[in-house]
Amino acid sequence: MTRVSSFSVPIRVYMEDTDAGGIVYYVNYLKFMERARSEWLRCHSLNQQALLLENTQLVVYRLTCHYAKPARLDDDLTVTAEVTDLGRCRATFDQTVEREGELLCSATVEIACLNATSMKPKQWPTQVFKVFNISDS
Amino acid sequence: MTRVSSFSVPIRVYMEDTDAGGIVYYVNYLKFMERARSEWLRCHSLNQQALLLENTQLVVYRLTCHYAKPARLDDDLTVTAEVTDLGRCRATFDQTVEREGELLCSATVEIACLNATSMKPKQWPTQVFKVFNISDS
Amino acid sequence: MTRVSSFSVPIRVYMEDTDAGGIVYYVNYLKFMERARSEWLRCHSLNQQALLLENTQLVVYRLTCHYAKPARLDDDLTVTAEVTDLGRCRATFDQTVEREGELLCSATVEIACLNATSMKPKQWPTQVFKVFNISDS
Amino acid sequence: MTRVSSFSVPIRVYMEDTDAGGIVYYVNYLKFMERARSEWLRCHSLNQQALLLENTQLVVYRLTCHYAKPARLDDDLTVTAEVTDLGRCRATFDQTVEREGELLCSATVEIACLNATSMKPKQWPTQVFKVFNISDS
């Protein structure tokens, strides 16, 4: 059964992603998931380099990850990202890593939008609210 | 207040650990925690290279991580590892990353002991049970 | 001026690739270059996971790299790979990392084909020689 | 034969450092070498975080690396760093990675001291010249 998700990116496994156990090193799935979140942000006109220049920084403040099956060198993976909750200064992403429709890894990743200097919460840029048809006033 | 833990390793932050936000990249705390678990295993006479040669592989199958404050380049961190639950084929570690007694990051990491070929659960080597004064029979 | 190369892959810069200096961490360009070599190998029917299962391992044994300009978060890079010399058990790649035709980084990477157990040189699989119209007898 | 070097740091190999070939991933030796350079700088009162806050950035602009033998999981390595040439805005390090006196990897790494904003060369902080008994006037 192929799972359905609103947003996904393809990611190929390279040698850099693997470990001596012959599988993808477990923390690297979290890098794959951030790539998917970055592309989701890009699709919604949020460029993180531009945000940094505006003194806005997105940080992960909580994550839960469950590993079901390992990926291996040269695998072609599909990494999904779906926003399941959006606050004024934070968002929750549900994410999966799949290989040919088989679930390898799933995670819930909570990110905060911060003032990069003070590291205090800062409201999302306006376009994020527009995407979700939420008023930012 | 300095937290108390039964096992810890010192880790210094290098450029490789940081990101363009000027802080330690969030997945790298998980690398730091694995270093602490590896040293815990080593203290209990478990060498992962030797385990791999015996076709035994330790893998993380679930983790929960909460990030409280960021670490920065050149910081001297203390990373703890404490086994809070031990099954015949798995263990749960509670771990923290601290800087001068201040909690930066905490995690619960569940690892499984697997047959490296079949990726099926495999009983821990005997010395693990001895450490915890548990019978493996 | 856009440079011409026989083979290239597009690579986008993510947070994982950057460091506290606000630029791509210098060793990560070498990961980008390996991705391009892996795709080159794939285009020539060489899958590294399949090679490992046949006890054949490709390793870098020498590299020279020159860094001209830094890449930054969200940059879209082009990474080239060109084989400039091929021996029976080794190959030399000339590689570049470019951004909109501007050279950021160039390298010469020498790789060896090894028996994965003995770590001794091993002749390339036959299809590599066919690509270059060289006899392997 | 144990090689002699003026400065070295011990580094243990963890799972994060290895790849599916069962050896240390080749770019990670360069991370180990940067750790040794960072400790060398620290020994000479140069803290890179403090330098960044003064808008001074150290970057690698050229490196040559030769890999002789692979390191593996759990190996205890010695990584050396020796300054062989010092200019007003740059330095050349000769570095090695050794295991029980056996040379695994050697490199020449050239670094530049830059203004972090303009990315133009900037003279080393005064204490660097004092270390080498060179006048900075």
Side-chain angles (χ1 to χ4, degrees), chain C:
Chain C
M1 185 201 70
T2 303
R3 299 174 76 260
V4 177
S5 175
S6 49
F7 186 85
S8 69
V9 297
I11 289 178
R12 180 163 288 161
V13 176
Y14 294 109
M15 192 62 87
E16 66 186 274
D17 304 313
T18 61
D19 67 22
I23 59 180
V24 169
Y25 183 58
Y26 79 106
V27 310
N28 290 336
Y29 296 95
L30 298 171
K31 292 187 179 177
F32 297 166
M33 289 181 186
E34 174 158 333
R35 294 183 201 171
R37 291 196 305 278
S38 296
E39 294 302 334
W40 184 93
L41 290 167
R42 176 182 297 267
C43 277
H44 296 101
S45 306
L46 281 171
N47 176 301
Q48 288 183 83
Q49 177 69 7
L51 286 177
L52 281 176
L53 295 175
E54 292 166 9
N55 206 37
T56 300
Q57 191 168 353
L58 306 183
V59 303
V60 172
Y61 67 94
R62 187 155 31 213
L63 67 86
T64 304
C65 190
H66 179 250
Y67 300 89
K69 298 203 171 186
R72 294 181 188 274
L73 185 62
D74 287 320
D75 279 355
D76 284 308
L77 307 177
T78 300
V79 185
T80 70
E82 192 177 4
V83 175
T84 56
D85 188 32
L86 185 76
R88 290 176 66 84
C89 311
R90 57 171 191 75
T92 302
F93 283 85
D94 273 6
Q95 302 200 251
T96 61
V97 178
E98 301 162 19
R99 184 183 49 212
E100 297 177 0
E102 182 182 44
L103 181 67
L104 303 186
C105 178
S106 59
T108 300
V109 182
E110 295 173 72
I111 70 173
C113 185
L114 302 183
N115 175 303
T117 308
S118 67
M119 298 300 272
K120 299 280 183 199
K122 179 177 179 173
Q123 188 174 291
W124 284 104
T126 305
Q127 66 266 41
V128 173
F129 294 98
K130 284 192 182 136
V131 169
F132 288 90
N133 202 22
I134 297 170
S135 166
D136 64 338
S137 62

Side-chain angles (χ1 to χ4, degrees), chain B residues 62-74:
Chain B
R62 189 156 28 214
L63 68 85
T64 304
C65 190
H66 179 249
Y67 300 89
K69 297 203 172 187
R72 294 182 187 275
L73 185 62
D74 287 320

Side-chain angles (χ1 to χ4, degrees), chain A residues 20, chain B residues 37-58 113 124-125 127-128, chain D residues 12-15 72-76:
Chain B
R37 292 196 304 278
S38 295
E39 294 302 335
W40 184 93
L41 291 167
R42 175 182 296 268
C43 277
H44 296 101
S45 305
L46 282 170
N47 175 301
Q48 290 183 83
Q49 177 69 6
L51 286 177
L52 280 176
L53 295 175
E54 292 165 10
N55 206 36
T56 300
Q57 191 168 352
L58 306 183
C113 185
W124 284 105
Q127 66 265 41
V128 173
Chain D
R12 180 162 288 160
V13 176
Y14 294 109
M15 192 62 87
R72 293 182 188 274
L73 185 61
D74 287 321
D75 278 355
D76 284 309

Side-chain angles (χ1 to χ4, degrees), chain D residues 14-131:
Chain D
Y14 294 109
M15 192 62 87
E16 68 186 274
D17 304 314
T18 61
D19 68 22
I23 58 180
V24 169
Y25 183 59
Y26 79 106
V27 310
N28 290 336
Y29 295 96
L30 299 170
K31 292 186 179 178
F32 297 167
M33 290 182 185
E34 173 157 335
R35 294 183 202 172
R37 292 197 304 278
S38 295
E39 294 303 333
W40 184 93
L41 291 166
R42 177 182 296 268
C43 276
H44 295 100
S45 306
L46 281 171
N47 176 300
Q48 289 183 83
Q49 177 69 9
L51 286 177
L52 281 176
L53 295 175
E54 292 166 11
N55 205 36
T56 300
Q57 191 168 353
L58 306 183
V59 302
V60 173
Y61 67 94
R62 188 156 28 213
L63 67 86
T64 305
C65 190
H66 179 249
Y67 300 89
K69 298 202 170 188
R72 293 182 188 274
L73 185 61
D74 287 321
D75 278 355
D76 284 309
L77 307 177
T78 301
V79 184
T80 69
E82 192 177 3
V83 174
T84 56
D85 189 32
L86 185 76
R88 292 176 65 84
C89 311
R90 58 172 189 74
T92 302
F93 283 86
D94 273 4
Q95 301 199 250
T96 62
V97 178
E98 301 161 19
R99 184 183 50 210
E100 296 177 2
E102 182 181 45
L103 180 67
L104 303 186
C105 177
S106 59
T108 299
V109 182
E110 295 174 72
I111 69 173
C113 185
L114 302 182
N115 175 305
T117 308
S118 68
M119 298 299 273
K120 300 280 183 200
K122 178 176 178 173
Q123 188 174 291
W124 284 105
T126 305
Q127 65 264 44
V128 172
F129 295 98
K130 285 192 182 135
V131 168

